[in-house]
Amino acid sequence: MIGAVLQKADGLAEQLQSLTEGVGYLWPEITLVAGLIMVLLFDLIFSNKKEVGLAAISISVLAFLLVAELVFFVPNMQSKDLFTGLITVSSGAALFKIGFTLTAIMALIMAVQSKKYFNEYFSSSEWLISLFGLLLGAFLMTASSNLLMIYISVEVVSISSYLLTGLGKGLKKSEAALKYLLYGAAASAVMLYGMSWLYGLTGSLDINTDTFIVGISSAQPMTLNIALFMVLVGILFKLGAFPLHIWSPDVYEATPTPTVTVFSIVPKLAAVFVLFRLVSSTQSTDFDWTLWLGILAIGGMTIGNFSALWQRNAKRMLAYSSIAHAAFMLTGILLLNRTGIEATVFYGFVYLLMNLTAFYLIQAFENETGTSDYESLKGLGKSMPYISVLLLIVMISLTGLPPVAGFNAKLYLFSAVYDQYSSTGEKILLWVFIFGLLNTVVSLFYYIRIPYLLFFKPDNQTIEGQARFNWNMIWGTLLVLPLFLLFFRSDWFVDLLNSINFVF
Amino acid sequence: MEHLLSYIVFIPLLGAILVLLTPKAYQHLYRVLAIGSTGLTLLLTLFAIKAFDGGLIPQISGEANLQMVEKVEWFSLKLGTLGTMSVDYFMGADGLNISMLLLAAIVLFIGAIACWNVKQKQKAYFSLYLLLSTSVLGCFVALDFFLFYLFFEFMLLPMYFLIGIWGGPRREYAAIKFFLYTLAGSILILIVMIGLYNSVYDPVKTAEVAGLSLTDYSVADIQSMVSEGEIEPDALVKSFNMLNMADSANYIPGSLLDKYGPVATIFGQPARWIAFLAILIGFAIKLPAFPFHTWLPDAHVEAPTPISVVLAGILLKVGGYGLIRTAYAIFPDAAFHYAWLIGFIGMFSIIYGAMNALAQKDLKKLIAFSSVSHMGFVLLGLASMTSEGVSGAIYQMFSHGLISSMLFLVAGVIYDRTHDRMIENYGGLAHQLPKYTVFVGIAFFASLGLPGFSGFVAELFVFLGAFKSASVIGAIPAWMAIVSTLGLVLAAGYYLWTFQKMFLGKFWVKDKKWTSELKDLTIREYLMLVPLVILIIAFGVYPAFLLDLINSGVESFINHLTASI
């Protein structure tokens, strides 16, 4: 196995040189590790009143990282294999990292803004270390082009997620963490087993190499199908997609909102990226990606949407909604073409913005009422009108109605599906198209329920002392504005996507 | 005046923003702002009517002779090998939409006056009302499907809140039912929209991308180059332009909705037929036609008076207009194929709506079902595919917009006073409210199609078209027209019965306390009702005014239909 990894580089000197050269490309990951160590040291050195210091360090490290990522972002950069093919850096991955960093910063800001979480999270370093760990894992997921690297980075994300879920006390939390851990362990075991089959079939772990691609296209179809299904299990688990979604509602409900925000975005998009890679290197095989992902997508959007109808808690509802959204993203991947990938990335980023905003605003309510149950939202439109209107806009966007970006995201995705259908005539595409759009009607019913509770129900509670202006309004507005921008000028972002190199 | 249509559409939006910015301490200004901005819109619309040249014959499948055109590129996306997707900010007026624009401006203004008495949550109410106004107006003038869809969808949200917050006892149910029904319809329209834009290219823009100068090549040259495959697929500019979609030469060869290529099928049916059916259902929900009408009575009964007025007066017309502009103009072949079905649905809606109206006890529900019946005439007229029928359909939309607004206003008058709309709870109101009775009488007689009122002209034209259809074009059989006339008899039945029950005979009300509440019309109510009466009679005795506006458009529309069957 090691021979396979190292066979690219000839002499030791060359190997060393390629290693040192590679390290330079890993500066985002190195920054994260440095931040993690700083947090850890700060926690060890100071004994009390650490909150402000820890918050300042973690936010400034991530802010620095975000700025650096933006400055050094080159859309049309050539993909580059590093560390003898373990890692591939690409501009697509860099774009995703920007999204992840942004999400993590918002999560930190959310935690800082809430008194409860501020004391809980920043008094010691555990939460921050787990968060940085999760981010590091997600970064590596977007960079992995080797089955082992994929496995390791997925595990880094998973272990950090278990820790984040289990932090703190509470029966619900322990239950959710245990569920998550058990499901996750099983899923990754299956994935690892599947990867070992793939290695057995091809003799290579590096999914970009010719050895792998030649090996896989001459593999025995049945064996290959089983192997890829097993790998898919692990990825679907991270994606929170049907049928491996069962853990997510409990975890979402039990976990504090800043953490859920990260859960609902970072691992999902990272899994999407891994799926891009896996699909692109195995699409010419007997495995019918279009059919299987199509079935998963139809199942996911239907199950997600119909389950969301019955929820009585905003966070649980968003958990099911994110299952449906994961299914929509699969829709873009199953097209196996560049238009599909671009539509997925567009959808992914709109989804990132929408979920970030939705959780942010829900926490604004949670800070006042202490819970995210529907019951507690009743009539709050009167005491907190501005935040309520912002939340309404996000819900409209999640449904996919104009004039917000959720509409464009769906439009591009389904245009791509339609186009592929009209040129290939594959039945499954037509079904995905019809199911996807009709599901919008179902989803309206539960998304509109939140504004319904806020505005239609008489207020059984009044929130005192709401300032005319507060930080929630400013951050909320800043988060909602891009949703409008991406509707009215979606071409700006699509032009950027056009120039990005998604070839893996 | 340049950008006239943009001003008309966006002045209410500006009004909404002003309402939002005005502090609560000045909340008495909100209604002034609402009336002011819709009034200004009406004024500008009258300018537009004056500037509109009814003699110019528009080309339904292209931009020739389109008036007051505004066209700016909004955004375009490169889709790699699939070409470019281009969305324009594109508005214009022709004979098919100018009358609808006028109707919308009138009804919105009167609706704004009707909002005068709203007391609770004024800021939200008036800003939503003005948002609704912008989206409705925009819907009628937008000629880019993307823009049209934006306005079309954006109507739902303000309407949902207006019914759901300020409505009657079952408002929440009615609001969500309205939202879900119409959203289901618009998703069907969205499906077709995606299909259409992927199948249609814009020859002018394609020429630009392909580097061909329009001075050397005509549009027809470019179209033939595309159909010969001489222009690479990645140079094609796919457009949302509704007028381009109506020209079958603009379809990309081999695309799913291409008329000339090998017939593509979905579920064993030609793709164009399926697309037409989807869009038909989408707008039939909005119209509403049987069997998609069930949201309407609920929405009407629960909505506050001004919202009922806007709903019946304009929103239903968006359905009819959408059918004309998209379903018929884009898929004339399928429209002809399904003419029988559409005519039958129209006929059935006429009878079914009228029968239901006969059975109602609630005045507003009665009016709601009469709307279903009257909108059936629109479908019948369209299905006939004759110029009389289509003129009649447009005239019916216009006339029903005025009459139903008036009906809901008079229903609102009595509800404002007693908070009860049950027909059986009143008797002999003519003694107590003589002036009100006159207006109710006019509204009822206008609605049942008495000669001299606008409704008569409209229904006459529809029947003329429906009778003639069999011999001229063969779209629908004459018996559909004959059966539909039954609707007139039934309408006379329910209106006269209601009028007799509520207004004639000895004065009686269910609750004695109401007697003191029942005062005759106020100045504000006169202000709303008198202009409507004048308009209803004016369009009844002098139909030429409206017909001159729409004739050339309808003529061209019929030529377009018959040429492409």
Side-chain angles (χ1 to χ4, degrees):
Chain A
M1 192 172 72
I2 293 172
V5 173
L6 294 182
Q7 78 193 146
K8 270 188 179 173
D10 292 316
L12 192 65
E14 263 176 76
Q15 283 176 29
L16 278 176
Q17 202 202 338
S18 83
L19 285 178
T20 41
E21 199 187 348
V23 171
Y25 286 93
L26 288 184
W27 58 266
E29 287 81 2
I30 292 170
T31 316
L32 273 181
V33 175
L36 197 148
I37 293 169
M38 276 156 75
V39 166
L40 201 61
L41 286 179
F42 189 89
D43 189 30
L44 285 175
I45 294 166
F46 295 88
S47 51
N48 49 8
K49 297 257 166 82
K50 286 178 285 199
E51 287 90 346
V52 178
L54 281 176
I57 291 177
S58 47
I59 292 182
S60 45
V61 166
L62 286 183
F64 166 77
L65 181 58
L66 182 66
V67 171
E69 279 169 338
L70 287 171
V71 170
F72 293 114
F73 181 67
V74 185
N76 47 10
M77 182 183 82
Q78 279 296 316
S79 301
K80 200 166 166 54
D81 287 336
L82 302 174
F83 300 111
T84 61
L86 280 173
I87 275 176
T88 306
V89 287
S90 62
S91 47
L95 185 73
F96 273 63
K97 285 177 192 169
I98 293 175
F100 298 160
T101 316
L102 187 73
T103 314
I105 292 178
M106 276 318 293
L108 285 174
I109 288 172
M110 283 165 75
V112 168
Q113 280 190 345
S114 151
K115 271 209 187 76
K116 185 176 142 209
Y117 298 139
F118 185 65
N119 293 331
E120 197 178 316
Y121 284 172
F122 294 104
S123 55
S124 67
S125 57
E126 286 134 15
W127 188 71
L128 289 171
I129 290 175
S130 314
L131 186 69
F132 275 64
L134 192 149
L135 216 52
L136 180 66
F139 276 26
L140 289 174
M141 269 171 89
T142 62
S144 313
S145 53
N146 178 294
L147 288 175
L148 266 189
M149 256 327 274
I150 292 177
Y151 178 73
I152 291 168
S153 52
V154 166
E155 278 308 283
V156 172
V157 173
S158 296
I159 291 168
S160 314
S161 307
Y162 308 145
L163 284 175
L164 283 170
T165 315
L167 274 183
K169 294 185 193 93
L171 195 62
K172 262 194 173 175
K173 258 185 206 166
S174 319
E175 186 199 328
L178 193 62
K179 250 189 201 173
Y180 197 10
L181 177 68
L182 289 176
Y183 272 112
S188 53
V190 173
M191 177 166 80
L192 191 60
Y193 191 47
M195 285 175 171
S196 73
W197 280 40
L198 284 183
Y199 180 65
L201 285 171
T202 61
S204 166
L205 282 168
D206 188 342
I207 57 176
N208 275 352
T209 51
D210 293 339
T211 337
F212 185 84
I213 292 168
V214 170
I216 208 161
S217 41
S218 58
Q220 203 265 328
M222 192 64 195
T223 328
L224 176 75
N225 272 308
I226 295 172
L228 278 175
F229 265 122
M230 288 196 286
V231 175
L232 202 53
V233 163
I235 296 172
L236 290 178
F237 174 78
K238 277 287 99 190
L239 192 60
F242 169 81
L244 289 141
H245 62 274
I246 308 156
W247 57 274
S248 69
D250 288 321
V251 170
Y252 277 41
E253 193 188 359
T255 317
T257 318
T259 314
V260 181
T261 314
V262 178
F263 278 179
S264 76
I265 295 168
V266 176
K268 259 184 213 280
L269 292 187
V272 165
F273 206 87
V274 170
L275 206 50
F276 283 165
R277 279 239 161 85
L278 190 65
V279 169
S280 74
S281 55
T282 55
Q283 67 184 50
S284 49
T285 61
D286 284 320
F287 190 74
D288 195 343
W289 281 106
T290 308
L291 178 69
W292 296 120
L293 289 185
I295 291 170
L296 291 172
I298 291 175
M301 53 183 96
T302 314
I303 298 274
N305 275 328
F306 278 92
S307 312
L309 288 178
W310 314 111
Q311 302 311 315
R312 294 256 160 270
N313 176 294
K315 270 150 75 179
R316 266 189 101 85
M317 182 276 276
L318 282 174
Y320 282 107
S321 121
S322 74
I323 294 165
H325 283 290
F328 282 118
M329 285 187 254
L330 288 183
T331 304
I333 302 172
L334 65 86
L335 299 177
L336 314 176
N337 60 22
R338 185 174 166 104
T339 325
I341 287 180
E342 273 183 33
T344 312
V345 176
F346 189 91
Y347 198 98
F349 272 81
V350 172
Y351 167 81
L352 180 149
L353 280 171
M354 293 189 299
N355 262 31
L356 210 54
T357 324
F359 280 116
Y360 182 83
L361 296 170
I362 280 174
Q363 189 186 285
F365 287 111
E366 242 181 359
N367 286 345
E368 302 295 334
T369 62
T371 158
S372 57
D373 284 342
Y374 279 180
E375 201 58 33
S376 71
L377 290 172
K378 278 186 181 170
L380 285 185
K382 199 164 185 187
S383 351
M384 302 167 79
Y386 193 75
I387 300 286
S388 305
V389 170
L390 291 180
L391 192 54
L392 163 71
I393 296 169
V394 179
M395 290 298 144
I396 289 301
S397 185
L398 280 166
T399 316
L401 301 183
V404 246
F407 174 72
N408 291 46
K410 285 221 165 86
L411 179 69
Y412 299 154
L413 202 57
F414 287 103
S415 292
V417 175
Y418 176 88
D419 208 276
Q420 184 82 347
Y421 169 70
S422 66
S423 57
T424 64
E426 278 184 75
K427 276 278 178 295
I428 184 76
L429 293 172
L430 183 65
W431 287 113
V432 168
F433 182 71
I434 293 172
F435 262 86
L437 286 169
L438 290 184
N439 258 306
T440 307
V441 184
V442 180
S443 71
L444 172 79
F445 196 80
Y446 62 84
Y447 287 129
I448 203 75
R449 192 161 206 142
I450 302 259
Y452 163 82
L453 292 161
L454 292 172
F455 294 109
F456 286 16
K457 287 290 171 191
D459 36 345
N460 47 10
Q461 52 189 335
T462 39
I463 306 287
E464 298 295 333
Q466 273 293 306
R468 277 185 76 84
F469 288 102
N470 57 33
W471 280 102
N472 285 338
M473 293 179 186
I474 293 165
W475 280 111
T477 314
L478 284 178
L479 287 169
V480 165
L481 278 180
L483 291 179
F484 281 106
L485 191 70
L486 281 177
F487 175 79
F488 285 103
R489 303 284 351 171
S490 56
D491 49 334
W492 293 347
F493 190 56
V494 175
D495 282 347
L496 177 74
L497 292 184
N498 272 329
S499 63
I500 285 181
N501 194 358
F502 281 109
V503 182
F504 301 113
Chain B
M1 205 155 122
E2 257 185 275
H3 304 305
L4 189 56
L5 292 180
S6 288
Y7 285 124
I8 290 174
V9 171
F10 290 107
I11 279 175
L13 182 67
L14 192 71
I17 293 170
L18 286 178
V19 167
L20 285 175
L21 293 179
T22 314
K24 269 218 176 87
Y26 299 96
Q27 58 177 351
H28 55 280
L29 285 180
Y30 295 160
R31 50 193 183 188
V32 179
L33 275 171
I35 293 174
S37 44
T38 48
L40 193 56
T41 299
L42 177 59
L43 206 67
L44 290 176
T45 308
L46 292 177
F47 265 122
I49 297 286
K50 194 165 167 287
F52 185 81
D53 183 353
L56 287 176
I57 297 173
Q59 178 200 358
I60 299 301
S61 56
E63 288 163 42
N65 282 342
L66 193 68
Q67 301 181 43
M68 292 173 264
V69 182
E70 285 177 47
K71 196 173 183 185
V72 195
E73 183 171 286
W74 180 358
F75 62 85
S76 67
L77 304 177
K78 286 187 193 63
L79 303 172
T81 52
L82 306 175
T84 312
M85 157 181 169
S86 146
V87 177
D88 286 334
Y89 174 80
F90 179 26
M91 290 175 166
D94 62 13
L96 299 182
N97 62 6
I98 189 78
S99 57
M100 292 297 109
L101 183 65
L102 176 64
L103 173 73
I106 295 172
V107 174
L108 287 170
F109 178 62
I110 290 176
I113 302 177
C115 295
W116 193 265
N117 279 339
V118 171
K119 286 284 181 286
Q120 50 158 338
K121 299 181 190 165
Q122 293 193 13
K123 186 178 239 179
Y125 181 91
F126 284 103
S127 45
L128 285 171
Y129 183 83
L130 290 171
L131 269 182
L132 178 69
S133 306
T134 284
S135 55
V136 171
L137 289 162
C139 228
F140 285 128
V141 290
L143 291 175
D144 185 277
F145 217 139
F146 190 91
L147 190 65
F148 173 83
Y149 194 79
L150 164 66
F151 286 125
F152 187 75
E153 285 273 270
F154 200 66
M155 272 189 291
L156 307 184
L157 201 64
M159 205 64 191
Y160 170 71
F161 283 106
L162 285 167
I163 298 175
I165 298 180
W166 289 272
R170 287 172 72 232
R171 55 182 182 264
E172 291 159 4
Y173 168 75
I176 192 70
K177 191 170 178 183
F178 162 80
F179 207 158
L180 286 176
Y181 260 75
T182 29
L183 183 69
S186 32
I187 292 300
L188 290 174
I189 295 166
L190 177 66
I191 290 177
V192 180
M193 180 176 103
I194 292 176
L196 276 171
Y197 106 79
N198 271 302
S199 305
V200 176
Y201 65 93
D202 184 326
V204 178
K205 287 187 178 173
T206 301
E208 272 170 35
V209 172
L212 304 170
S213 153
L214 279 171
T215 45
D216 303 336
Y217 297 91
S218 72
V219 168
D221 290 339
I222 290 159
Q223 286 168 339
S224 72
M225 284 170 82
V226 172
S227 61
E228 299 292 323
E230 286 166 29
I231 292 180
E232 291 299 313
D234 58 0
L236 292 176
V237 179
K238 296 172 174 181
S239 93
F240 282 91
N241 186 325
M242 286 170 153
L243 304 178
N244 274 343
M245 289 172 177
D247 185 351
S248 42
N250 284 334
Y251 284 74
I252 299 165
S255 61
L256 212 51
L257 296 174
D258 181 20
K259 192 172 152 191
Y260 295 121
V263 180
T265 56
I266 299 175
F267 305 129
Q269 296 287 317
R272 279 176 73 87
W273 292 5
I274 297 284
F276 176 79
L277 276 186
I279 209 165
L280 176 73
I281 295 171
F283 285 117
I285 291 175
K286 197 93 190 165
L287 194 58
F290 178 86
F292 308 109
H293 65 281
T294 53
W295 62 270
L296 184 79
D298 287 308
H300 266 317
V301 169
E302 302 305 328
T305 306
I307 304 310
S308 282
V309 169
V310 174
L311 184 59
I314 329 172
L315 255 64
L316 308 188
K317 277 72 198 173
V318 175
Y321 170 70
L323 279 180
I324 297 176
R325 177 68 78 191
T326 59
Y328 269 76
I330 297 175
F331 303 103
D333 44 339
F336 185 71
H337 177 78
Y338 285 114
W340 197 92
L341 176 74
I342 298 163
F344 188 80
I345 293 175
M347 179 196 80
F348 199 83
S349 294
I350 294 173
I351 307 293
Y352 179 84
M355 300 263 233
N356 265 290
L358 266 179
Q360 297 310 316
K361 292 178 174 167
D362 182 327
L363 187 58
K364 255 189 162 180
K365 250 193 172 150
L366 179 138
I367 303 170
F369 275 108
S370 93
S371 285
V372 175
S373 175
H374 283 112
M375 288 290 103
F377 284 101
V378 176
L379 277 186
L380 187 68
L382 274 178
S384 77
M385 294 178 102
T386 58
S387 55
E388 288 89 344
V390 174
S391 298
I394 295 178
Y395 212 105
Q396 172 74 345
M397 288 200 279
F398 189 85
S399 142
H400 180 262
L402 299 174
I403 296 173
S404 64
S405 301
M406 189 168 166
L407 285 168
F408 280 110
L409 285 175
V410 296
V413 166
I414 194 110
Y415 184 72
D416 275 350
R417 286 163 176 65
T418 63
H419 298 281
D420 187 284
R421 286 185 309 254
M422 290 297 147
I423 296 167
E424 61 196 13
N425 291 348
Y426 300 93
L429 286 177
H431 301 283
Q432 179 91 355
L433 306 165
K435 293 179 185 119
Y436 174 61
T437 309
V438 173
F439 282 99
V440 175
I442 293 173
F444 279 12
F445 283 112
S447 186
L448 65 81
L450 201 72
F453 296 108
S454 57
F456 172 73
V457 183
E459 281 160 21
L460 185 70
F461 270 97
V462 169
F463 283 126
L464 278 178
F467 273 116
K468 229 176 88 175
S469 177
S471 58
V472 178
I473 186 167
I476 54 169
W479 63 264
M480 281 187 185
I482 298 169
V483 176
S484 301
T485 50
L486 202 64
L488 293 185
V489 183
L490 291 169
Y494 59 80
Y495 277 126
L496 292 177
W497 176 79
T498 309
F499 193 72
Q500 183 214 343
K501 200 122 199 223
M502 285 183 79
F503 293 92
L504 305 182
K506 205 164 147 273
F507 177 71
W508 176 85
V509 283
K510 192 184 169 208
D511 192 336
K512 280 276 145 38
K513 274 179 276 177
W514 292 355
T515 316
S516 57
E517 301 286 325
L518 284 167
K519 299 199 181 70
D520 220 335
L521 299 175
T522 63
I523 304 252
R524 190 178 60 84
E525 285 159 353
Y526 278 120
L527 215 59
M528 297 183 289
L529 293 173
V530 172
L532 282 175
V533 171
I534 294 172
L535 287 171
I536 290 168
I537 295 177
F539 285 107
V541 295
Y542 189 66
F545 175 68
L546 193 69
L547 290 175
D548 282 349
L549 282 180
I550 65 174
N551 259 349
S552 53
V554 171
E555 194 183 322
S556 171
F557 179 69
I558 293 297
N559 287 338
H560 169 68
L561 292 188
T562 42
S564 17
I565 286 172

